[in-house]
Amino acid sequence: MAIIASVALLITEHQSHRLDALRATLSVIVDPLKYLVDLPTVLIEQTANSVSSYSTLKKENTQLREEQFIDKTRLLKFDSLEKENIRLRALLENSFKLGEQLLIAELLSINTAPYENIVVVNKGTRFGVHPQQPVLDANGVVGQVFRALPFSSEIMLITDPNHAIPVQVNRNGLLTIAVGSGQLNRLNLPFLPNNADIRPGDLLITSGLGGTFPSGYPVAIVDDFTPITNKPFVNITATPKAMLDRNRELLIVWSDSSPVSLSSPPTSHEKTPETTPPNGQSTESGLIREAPKGKRTRAAHDDKSTGIPAGTGRNDQSAGSGLIRKVPAGAQTGADNDE
């Protein structure tokens, strides 16, 4: 019966399309069964793929995070190197402008004691550093060497209460002294009278007095102040030009402060100018002693009658006086032709 029914259905389907609706109806019932049978295999494959993809993605995510962290660290380092390069370029350009011998020192530590502004750098006496050397940065005066050690040096900043620097107003040349206040952003000018010609915004530069700081280096900018009429001195403050709280590199300056001798003795290679004696004859020593007017010394010639050889000392009597002058040995003067 199954065979007959199958043959009959095949013939009917071949001859007409009457069974298409029946096939569509039966597929609605049969297709879910096929999906249900295939479901375990699909679930297993999808689960395996999900686990594999998850582990792969997790590994890739971890690797990418590590690479991102390393790249960020490198970028931070590059940023620091870039800023350091900018600072060093500024110092280098400033060194060409200054014209003195310079040494770049790197900051090691900061003294945090109260009312002390002292920093330590990594250059010492083995590099030729000595006390009272001026120290600068790319913007202005930082301070001076307070103590020089073999491998490091202590720098006293200009804002230290124990530090004072002679300055002058760049606008009119007014001289004064800037004293440290203990704060990194303030200098005091306590020795200016109330009627001094100084204005807010004036640039203070080193005056060169005292011999420590060469003249012409920028020090500070005068802050706003209000003159007080009933006081002889006005309270004036200034802001340092140097970045005292941000420097990592400093410039230690050498300047030629040795005094120049106004009268130096002639050296061996310098010739003493010769003076031509009378009759055009020069002496052996190159020095001529002029006799007073009316007193002429006769030359010591070889006198055969007396037996006194030339060049030996003898007493010659001058023609115009009764003075006796002894001619030194080896000194010959021109003969006196005036008899």
Side-chain angles (χ1 to χ4, degrees):
M1 291 178 65
I3 293 174
I4 293 171
S6 298
V7 172
L9 291 174
L10 289 173
I11 293 172
T12 303
E13 183 182 7
H14 181 70
Q15 292 179 352
S16 64
H17 299 282
R18 297 177 181 178
L19 298 178
D20 290 342
L22 179 62
R23 182 183 293 106
T25 304
L26 293 176
S27 65
V28 175
I29 301 173
V30 174
D31 287 342
L33 296 177
K34 292 193 295 184
Y35 286 114
L36 185 61
V37 171
D38 194 42
L39 182 60
T41 304
V42 174
L43 290 177
I44 292 172
E45 290 179 356
Q46 290 181 353
T47 303
N49 291 333
S50 298
V51 172
S52 177
S53 299
Y54 177 76
S55 61
T56 303
L57 290 175
K58 186 176 181 180
K59 186 182 295 184
E60 290 180 357
N61 191 15
T62 304
Q63 183 178 358
L64 291 175
R65 285 180 179 275
E66 292 177 355
E67 291 179 357
Q68 183 184 12
F69 180 74
I70 293 173
D71 291 340
K72 283 185 177 181
T73 305
R74 289 179 177 176
L75 287 176
L76 292 176
K77 186 64 176 178
F78 290 155
D79 185 50
S80 175
L81 291 175
E82 182 182 4
K83 292 180 179 179
E84 182 180 2
N85 189 19
I86 293 173
R87 293 195 302 269
L88 291 177
R89 282 180 178 273
L91 291 175
L92 185 61
E93 292 177 359
N94 198 14
S95 67
F96 281 112
K97 294 177 182 178
L98 296 180
E100 281 90 7
Q101 182 181 357
L102 304 171
L103 176 66
I104 297 179
E106 187 176 355
L107 189 68
L108 290 180
S109 63
I110 301 174
N111 191 351
T112 58
Y115 302 105
E116 285 187 2
N117 294 333
I118 296 177
V119 298
V120 181
V121 296
N122 62 346
K123 295 296 188 295
T125 55
R126 63 192 183 101
F127 290 95
V129 180
H130 57 82
Q132 295 185 351
Q133 274 190 270
V135 180
L136 314 173
D137 67 356
N139 299 305
V141 178
V142 173
Q144 61 176 304
V145 178
F146 173 67
R147 183 181 291 109
L149 302 175
F151 297 98
S152 63
S153 298
E154 295 182 4
I155 310 297
M156 178 182 290
L157 304 182
I158 58 175
T159 54
D160 190 279
N162 297 320
H163 189 276
I165 176 173
V167 296
Q168 67 178 2
V169 179
N170 190 38
R171 177 175 54 85
N172 55 12
L174 178 65
L175 298 175
T176 185
I177 296 177
V179 181
S181 64
Q183 302 177 4
L184 289 177
N185 59 349
R186 179 177 295 178
L187 290 174
N188 293 329
L189 305 175
F191 304 109
L192 286 176
N194 196 9
N195 58 352
D197 184 13
I198 188 169
R199 305 172 186 172
D202 281 343
L203 174 64
L204 301 178
I205 61 175
T206 54
S207 63
L209 301 178
T212 300
F213 295 92
S215 61
Y217 292 164
V219 178
I221 299 293
V222 178
D223 299 330
D224 292 334
F225 65 93
T226 302
I228 303 176
T229 57
N230 57 356
K231 291 185 178 180
F233 295 95
V234 62
N235 184 18
I236 301 177
T237 60
T239 301
K241 288 281 292 181
M243 299 296 181
L244 301 180
D245 56 345
R246 303 178 187 178
N247 287 321
R248 291 300 304 269
E249 296 86 14
L250 301 175
L251 285 174
I252 302 178
V253 182
W254 279 263
S255 59
D256 188 8
S257 60
S258 59
V260 178
S261 178
L262 298 179
S263 59
S264 58
T267 57
S268 59
H269 65 275
E270 296 179 351
K271 294 182 179 180
T272 304
E274 298 182 0
T275 304
T276 304
N279 301 332
Q281 296 181 0
S282 61
T283 61
E284 294 180 359
S285 62
L287 297 177
I288 300 298
R289 182 187 298 271
E290 294 184 0
K293 186 175 181 181
K295 302 175 183 179
R296 300 194 181 105
T297 306
R298 301 179 62 88
H301 295 285
D302 190 2
D303 191 352
K304 295 182 180 179
S305 61
T306 59
I308 301 176
T312 59
R314 71 170 190 170
N315 296 333
D316 275 352
Q317 187 172 359
S318 61
S321 66
L323 298 177
I324 301 297
R325 182 166 187 170
K326 186 176 181 180
V327 180
Q332 296 180 356
T333 60
D336 185 7
N337 294 327
D338 187 8
E339 296 184 2

